[in-house]
Amino acid sequence: MPAVNTHDVIIVGGGSAGAVLANRLSEDASRKVLLIEAGPAYTSVDFPDVIANANRVGGDAAHDWGYRTQDHLGLGHDVRALRGKVLGGGSAVNAAVAMRARASDFARWTARGVKGWTFEDVLPVFKSLENTPTGDDDWHGRTGPFPIRQRTMEENTPSMQAFVLAAEAAGLARVSDFNGSEQNGVSPYPLNVVDGRRINTGMAYLTDDVRRRPNLTVMGHAEADSIVFSGSRAIGIKLIGGETLTGGKIILSAGTYGSPSILMRSGIGPSSHLRELDIPVVVDAPIGNRLKEHPFYYNVYALKPEAISMTPAAGAIVWTNSSEAGPDELDLHVSGTHIFDPDQSPTGGAIVLACSVTLPRSNGSIRLASRDPRAMPLIRFNFFQDPSDLRRMMEAVKLSRRIGRTAPFSNMIEMEMFPGKNVDEDASLEKAIIEQVDGYSHPTSSVPMGSAEDPTAVVDENGAVRGAENLHVVDASIMPDIVSAPTNVTTIMMAEMISRRI
Ligand SMILES: Cc1cc2nc3c(=O)[nH]c(=O)nc-3n(C[C@H](O)[C@H](O)[C@H](O)COP(=O)(O)OP(=O)(O)OC[C@H]3O[C@@H](n4cnc5c(N)ncnc54)[C@H](O)[C@@H]3O)c2cc1C
């Protein structure tokens, strides 16, 4: 007997992408949509302070998956792999920095043979998803669901203002709007923060009105184990616990770690790896081979007692190019935040200038540790595997320290805490960076999009899994390559774009 479809579409994961899809796909009242989310599915007014308060970044143990990487072999230590476990996903626990990927990022996707994702294609979607009162009409939308607000200098702490001024004194241009025509320089952040509240996609896209739609069901605390197939046709989702939900179309939006894990548990992945775990192969697919993450190094300063104010936490950023960047690429960030435990500072206040290489060449990987859906996957970022990434990180940290020594910032600083004044030679700085490098929490490209001719691609330009039917992946995992911006707004844009195409 053919399976009875209780839903036309099942979306797995209610994060940055999944919440957008649940809204857009249920706009058609004749389409029955089910969204399942492993974490709690709070209504917009019920999000607890740890999730809604923009100054609390990274969530807590109850709203995170607790993942770490297996990078000790290359780095001498593992790296945290944070990801939200709550409606809104990463957008519910992130720093709320709302910067779009640049035209050159999409040009790199196009150069890989990906069609339909040029900057001309995506700019109207970036505009339509946002509502922002400032900036130029050529670049901005006024009426979209996602609020983006340009932080002003006056709203920032005195030390953050001094960071911006010192960066200018050190030779960087002052950017008025990172989501406008020019990005190379320094500016306070644009943020999806309104009145101190981080507006995650669960709040912005799954409003009470949307959740009242009779054709939309949002299920919290529902964790997918695997996809149910009839041959290579996806027909349902098996939940941990055994219940099976049937659907006409299955969309995975479980994020860069979740979506490849569900696919591999379901028999879609590198066949040799699946066989090692006795998982019957449905589609031999190159999943998990092109994982990317931005390496992140914290140049930390203790603030003078008269300048210890630490809220708002985020801040301002330098976005610029290294000496190895390609034409029109901006591959370095120095991100100013107060995301640091004040008790760890001798003065009770600190500012972090976090340095990143945002177009890393090193390739990470993700594999299953076991068939058990509760087991943490084996994640490797392989930071600095490509020597260019370490060379460029050295440039970023040297730039950050140069800003640190420049007035008016230098006047607000009691001391440099990390790497500290004893770390001066290149060799000791390299060692400190390798020992302390962390992730920026922007993982992408574990289920990459690409053309039919690309043997390393898994999904097509609309997120459809090649070799399977009725199965899509729509989240940061399908980016053909990591982008040089923080990844949230670009992920939301991709979900908006694909919701119009499927
Ligand atoms: C601490 C932190 C800070 C960050 N800061 C910024 C920032 O300031 N600016 C920025 O642009 N980006 C930032 N990012 C990155 C950004 O938030 C992510 O790129 C984005 O949220 C990814 O969206 P996604 O839809 O791919 O996945 P997610 O938003 O992670 O969504 C995946 C969802 O699927 C659920 N899920 C996973 N597995 C299952 C399963 N088996 N069954 C059911 N549900 C499942 C998860 O619980 C989650 O809700 C940050 C991320 C983190 C974690």
Side-chain angles (χ1 to χ4, degrees):
M1 242 181 68
V4 179
N5 288 336
T6 47
H7 296 91
D8 298 303
V9 180
I10 301 178
I11 302 160
V12 178
S16 298
V20 174
L21 291 166
N23 174 327
R24 293 305 186 200
L25 297 179
S26 64
E27 281 174 347
D28 174 353
S30 68
R31 189 190 274 139
K32 278 188 79 180
V33 176
L34 170 65
L35 173 66
I36 65 169
E37 164 55 44
Y42 300 114
T43 59
S44 56
V45 291
D46 288 336
F47 282 93
D49 188 67
V50 68
I51 300 299
N53 183 339
N55 291 318
R56 301 181 69 177
V57 176
D60 59 8
H63 299 92
D64 185 77
W65 290 75
Y67 286 5
R68 298 186 73 79
T69 70
Q70 312 273 309
D71 277 306
H72 45 276
L73 282 178
L75 295 173
H77 62 98
D78 293 337
V79 180
R80 292 181 306 167
L82 296 172
R83 64 169 186 151
K85 188 175 191 177
V86 55
L87 194 67
S91 76
V93 298
N94 69 15
V97 171
M99 286 157 70
R100 300 171 182 165
R102 301 181 65 244
S104 63
D105 291 311
F106 297 100
R108 274 182 302 108
W109 292 10
T110 304
R112 296 191 79 110
V114 174
K115 297 207 167 55
W117 293 92
T118 67
F119 194 62
E120 290 66 39
D121 293 320
V122 303
L123 181 59
V125 188
F126 274 127
K127 288 170 67 174
S128 72
L129 72 83
E130 78 170 347
N131 71 75
T132 190
T134 57
D136 193 324
D137 281 348
D138 287 346
W139 293 91
H140 289 287
R142 310 295 175 203
T143 57
F146 198 63
I148 298 181
R149 302 288 179 266
Q150 175 62 50
R151 177 145 288 163
T152 62
M153 278 292 262
E154 297 67 38
E155 288 164 337
N156 266 327
T157 61
S159 61
M160 196 64 70
Q161 295 177 26
F163 164 60
V164 175
L165 297 174
E168 281 189 275
L172 287 139
R174 180 69 176 276
V175 171
S176 61
D177 176 8
F178 282 120
N179 293 329
S181 58
E182 182 52 59
Q183 289 80 38
N184 193 344
V186 62
S187 167
Y189 276 124
L191 298 157
N192 48 291
V193 172
V194 180
D195 297 333
R197 254 167 93 81
R198 171 181 29 243
I199 307 300
N200 67 56
T201 54
M203 296 171 176
Y205 280 86
L206 298 174
T207 59
D208 293 348
D209 277 351
V210 172
R211 288 179 74 161
R212 273 195 291 269
R213 288 178 189 163
N215 61 323
L216 173 65
T217 306
V218 177
M219 244 168 111
H221 299 292
E223 193 168 336
D225 174 345
S226 52
I227 303 155
V228 182
F229 286 103
S230 167
S232 57
R233 184 186 174 85
I235 58 166
I237 286 292
K238 186 175 145 210
L239 297 182
I240 292 182
E243 190 186 348
T244 295
L245 308 163
T246 54
K249 194 185 283 296
I250 308 296
I251 304 179
L252 301 185
S253 297
T256 296
Y257 310 134
S259 291
S261 300
I262 296 169
L263 286 166
M264 290 191 279
R265 287 199 296 269
S266 313
I268 301 187
S271 55
S272 53
H273 175 56
L274 301 183
R275 282 198 199 96
E276 278 163 18
L277 298 173
D278 289 330
I279 299 173
V281 178
V282 179
V283 182
D284 181 12
I287 285 173
N289 300 334
R290 280 170 45 187
L291 175 70
K292 291 270 186 174
E293 163 67 312
H294 294 146
F296 211 35
Y297 175 78
Y298 308 113
N299 178 207
V300 185
Y301 297 86
L303 292 165
K304 285 207 166 131
E306 59 273 24
I308 55 169
S309 151
M310 290 176 72
T311 50
I317 188 168
V318 167
W319 197 359
T320 192
N321 58 300
S322 74
S323 63
E324 299 183 36
D328 194 37
E329 284 181 353
L330 299 181
D331 59 347
L332 301 184
H333 284 186
V334 180
S335 157
T337 72
H338 295 289
I339 304 171
F340 193 81
D341 177 0
D343 294 342
Q344 303 300 313
S345 161
T347 60
I351 185 167
V352 182
L353 305 188
C355 304
S356 185
V357 176
T358 59
L359 292 173
R361 295 182 194 153
S362 305
N363 244 340
S365 67
I366 177 163
R367 292 286 183 266
L368 295 178
S370 87
R371 174 66 191 74
D372 177 359
R374 297 247 188 237
M376 179 170 77
L378 304 172
I379 302 165
R380 291 219 171 122
F381 293 150
N382 293 327
F383 287 150
F384 310 134
Q385 186 189 51
D386 188 306
S388 155
D389 295 353
L390 184 56
R391 288 196 301 269
R392 290 182 289 157
M393 184 62 105
M394 291 283 284
E395 287 188 37
V397 179
K398 286 179 181 178
L399 170 62
S400 172
R401 296 180 100 183
R402 187 151 62 85
I403 296 168
R405 287 192 299 269
T406 303
F409 187 81
S410 52
N411 301 331
M412 307 234 170
I413 296 311
E414 184 82 15
M415 59 177 282
E416 187 192 65
M417 293 176 65
F418 298 104
K421 66 176 178 1
N422 295 335
V423 176
D424 217 14
E425 303 296 316
D426 276 7
S428 54
L429 183 57
E430 269 189 20
K431 186 166 172 285
I433 290 171
I434 293 168
E435 280 173 3
Q436 291 159 25
V437 68
D438 199 3
Y440 208 163
S441 301
H442 298 156
T444 68
S445 315
S446 53
V447 188
M449 177 192 286
S451 71
E453 291 73 45
D454 180 351
T456 70
V458 179
V459 300
D460 74 7
E461 279 88 346
N462 295 331
V465 177
R466 291 219 159 81
E469 291 134 69
N470 293 345
L471 179 61
H472 282 73
V473 182
V474 184
D475 54 29
S477 75
I478 66 170
M479 291 191 194
D481 194 2
I482 199 163
V483 295
S484 60
T487 41
N488 191 39
V489 176
T490 302
T491 307
I492 295 171
M493 178 279 291
M494 295 178 79
E496 286 271 13
M497 177 77 104
I498 294 177
S499 74
R500 298 168 190 190
R501 295 176 176 173
I502 57 177

